[in-house]
Structure formats: structure tokens, C-alpha cells
Amino acid sequence: MIKNKDSNSKADNKEKIWKWLLKLLWPERCPFCMRAYRTGICPECQKKLKPLFVTEPRCVQCGKPLHVSEKEYCYDCAEGQHYFDAGSAVWVHKEPVSNSIYQFKYHNQRAFAKEYAKVLVGQFEKEIRRWNPDVLIPVPLHKKRKKKRGYNQAELLAAEIGRLMNLPVETNLVVRTKNTKPQKNQGHRGRKQNLKQAFGLKYRFRKGCTIVVVDDIYTTGNTIDAVSFLLKKAGAEKVYFLTISIGQGY
């Protein structure tokens, strides 16, 4: 059945009114100062964020900014083995970035994902296209934690990146089989132990594919490593990662 023009017009008007009401009740906010702003990052926060953008020189594997241009790898990547091939993050994990991600992660600021993804794609689209990924996979939350929080912030971010770049997103392939303690409360050794056998695969996938793992923060890389190890073991040829923020390299 084909709808007439009048019914289509009424539906369009209802949608416009609904969007107007949503903006009135829940105005768009700058993801960094939380103040109401028409769209995106406010000019004041843009100034604060400028020195926090990750630029060269950066680690060729994890993408952390380096303080010595002669070095190719940060301390973590030079001293240890990673299972991912390379990765990129937008900002160094300092204020106001760290607080913004905290609000995004724990205080239901889901709308922030849209702005994070826009900046991330603007910064790294060429790099991501060069990786030529078959699929984006967000780091999963355990079902108990996801139920309590109501959402997985990595899924929201991956969905926005996928939408902007027309890339498929798979949220059911990798599952969290172990309800681990928060990584921020663990030391380096504790983090590795905490993530042992923490992830599993729900089904098989095509061998030889390229996967980009998406998460909010990269610190030591243990979470990304655990997921990458699982994917490589199952037959992925290349595994890369994308995050909003990253720790500092030395």
C-alpha cells in the first residue's frame, strides 16, 4: 500500500515536532564541558583539546605519542609482545578528555559517541581505509555489567564509526565470558591475569580477514591484546584497534 502525500506530510511534521521537543528537553551538550551547545565541541574546549591530540612522533604499533623522535616504539611495545598489528587514538588521556569519557561510560551520556566518532574518522579516515577492514568489533561488556549500565559504550562508538565510514559492525562475535574486575583498579601484572580467558567467540568467521577492534581507552593494551589474541587464533590475518584516548608513551 502506497501512502498518500498528506499522510507522509503529517508523519514528517510529527517527526520534526518530536525532534524539536527532544532538543528542548535534552539539549545537545559539548562532550567536554557538558554545557549546552548547538552542535559538537564548543570553541573553548576545542582550544583545550588542541594540545591533547595525538600527533607524530608516535609509536608505530600502539600509536602512543613519543617524547623522543628517534624512537619507533613506546616502552610497552618495545619491551612486550602485542597481538594486534597497529592502532590509533585521538587524544592523550588527560583532562578534559578523561572526565568526558567517564561521563560517557558511567553517566549515560550516550550521545557523546557521535562526536567522538566524528573526530576520530576526521583524524584517521585515510589510515582506516588503508587497513581495509572487513568488520569493526567493539570490546564487549559482560552481560551482567551491560544490564546494570544499560549499554556498552564501545558498541555505541563502533556503530557511529561504521555509519560514518559505511563499514559493518559485529557486536555478537566476541563475548565476555568472565565478569572481570575493573582494569583501572589493577596493576600491570594484575590486568593481564584479570583478562585471562575473559573473552570467547560465539561462532566461527572467515579466515584471513582484517578486523578493527573498537574501545574507549587504551592504557597498557591488555584488553585489546586479549581480544586480538582470540581473533588471531581463530584465523584473522590482521587486527587493528581504534580508541578515543590513550596513555602517554616514553
Side-chain angles (χ1 to χ4, degrees):
M1 179 175 135
I2 300 172
K3 290 183 179 179
N4 60 42
K5 288 183 180 179
D6 287 341
S7 62
N8 282 338
S9 179
K10 284 178 183 178
D12 288 344
N13 287 336
K14 280 182 180 179
E15 189 177 347
K16 285 176 184 177
I17 292 167
W18 178 241
K19 284 181 178 178
W20 178 81
L21 281 170
L22 283 175
K23 283 191 175 182
L24 185 67
L25 294 169
W26 293 283
E28 290 184 42
R29 296 183 180 277
C30 168
F32 297 93
C33 64
M34 317 302 162
R35 290 194 291 265
Y37 187 65
R38 294 187 309 278
T39 177
I41 305 168
C42 74
E44 193 176 326
C45 287
Q46 284 180 0
K47 289 178 186 176
K48 291 178 183 176
L49 290 167
K50 199 170 182 181
L52 298 182
F53 274 97
V54 177
T55 56
E56 299 293 348
R58 57 186 183 127
C59 176
V60 296
Q61 187 162 21
C62 76
K64 280 183 181 177
L66 299 173
H67 300 292
V68 181
S69 58
E70 289 76 19
K71 287 188 176 181
E72 287 189 314
Y73 296 91
C74 68
Y75 178 81
D76 287 339
C77 292
E79 294 296 313
Q81 179 189 8
H82 288 304
Y83 296 101
F84 58 82
D85 293 276
S88 291
V90 180
W91 296 289
V92 175
H93 194 68
K94 288 182 176 180
E95 291 293 350
V97 175
S98 53
N99 183 56
S100 177
I101 294 175
Y102 183 83
Q103 298 298 324
F104 171 52
K105 198 169 180 172
Y106 298 112
H107 290 278
N108 204 30
Q109 296 294 341
R110 308 183 196 198
F112 290 2
K114 189 174 181 180
E115 191 60 30
Y116 295 146
K118 190 167 74 175
V119 178
L120 197 152
V121 171
Q123 193 87 338
F124 298 116
E125 183 172 9
K126 287 182 181 178
E127 191 169 343
I128 298 165
R129 296 292 184 199
R130 194 165 60 246
W131 292 345
N132 194 25
D134 294 289
V135 67
L136 306 178
I137 294 180
V139 171
L141 283 178
H142 190 271
K143 58 184 178 181
K144 286 184 180 178
R145 193 171 295 176
K146 187 176 180 181
K147 187 178 180 181
K148 184 180 178 181
R149 192 177 297 175
Y151 61 99
N152 176 2
Q153 72 282 353
E155 278 185 22
L156 299 178
L157 182 61
E160 288 296 333
I161 297 168
R163 181 183 64 82
L164 290 171
M165 296 194 66
N166 196 28
L167 292 170
V169 179
E170 179 52 72
T171 60
N172 297 315
L173 174 62
V174 181
V175 293
R176 201 145 194 160
T177 55
K178 183 178 167 186
N179 194 11
T180 53
K181 297 173 185 176
Q183 286 289 88
K184 63 182 179 180
N185 298 329
Q186 308 290 315
H188 183 65
R189 190 171 292 178
R191 289 181 185 213
K192 278 190 174 290
Q193 191 64 33
N194 193 36
L195 289 165
K196 274 192 174 180
Q197 300 177 332
F199 300 100
L201 292 176
K202 218 168 184 181
Y203 48 84
R204 294 179 182 177
F205 58 87
R206 178 174 59 81
K207 291 187 177 182
C209 63
T210 297
I211 296 170
V212 174
V213 178
V214 178
D215 205 3
D216 52 351
I217 306 165
Y218 179 105
T219 47
T220 59
N222 289 313
T223 302
I224 301 288
D225 257 335
V227 175
S228 300
F229 173 75
L230 185 72
L231 294 169
K232 286 277 184 86
K233 192 177 177 184
E237 184 178 350
K238 297 283 184 183
V239 178
Y240 301 95
F241 77 81
L242 292 168
T243 60
I244 304 163
S245 70
I246 196 165
Q248 296 182 76
Y250 295 97

